[in-house]
Amino acid sequence: MKDDVRVRDAVVNALMTDNNPGVRTQALLLLQPVKADSSVRAALQHLAETDQNQYIRSQARTVLAQLPEID
C-alpha cells in the first residue's frame, strides 16, 4: 500500500463510504502502515468526529492519538 497510492485511495474510499462497519474496520487496519499520510489522517479526523458507528469513531481517535503532531 505504501508503494501504490491507488490502493491507498481505494481503501480510504472504502473506509469513508462503505455501509458495512466490518469492511470499514478492516480498512482501518489496512491503513495502519500509512496512517501518517495526510489523506489518511484527514479521513481519520473526519471519522473520529462524525462517524455514526461508535467503534469506528473510537478506533479513528486511537490511531490519531498515536500520530505525531504536525507543525
Side-chain angles (χ1 to χ4, degrees):
M1 183 159 343
K2 289 181 179 184
D3 298 329
D4 193 340
V5 294
R6 292 173 301 175
V7 173
R8 184 206 58 216
D9 291 347
V11 175
V12 169
N13 185 55
L15 177 64
M16 298 298 294
T17 62
D18 200 289
N19 291 328
N20 185 326
V23 169
R24 292 172 40 235
T25 298
Q26 190 63 36
L28 271 170
L29 295 173
L30 289 171
L31 289 169
Q32 287 293 320
V34 292
K35 62 187 175 189
D37 182 271
S38 61
S39 64
V40 175
R41 187 185 290 255
L44 291 171
Q45 187 66 44
H46 179 75
L47 292 174
E49 295 171 1
T50 64
D51 199 86
Q52 297 293 324
N53 185 291
Q54 181 179 350
Y55 178 77
I56 300 292
R57 279 194 319 270
S58 173
Q59 288 301 109
R61 287 181 189 131
T62 298
V63 173
L64 286 168
Q66 297 169 354
L67 296 176
E69 290 293 322
I70 296 178
D71 292 331

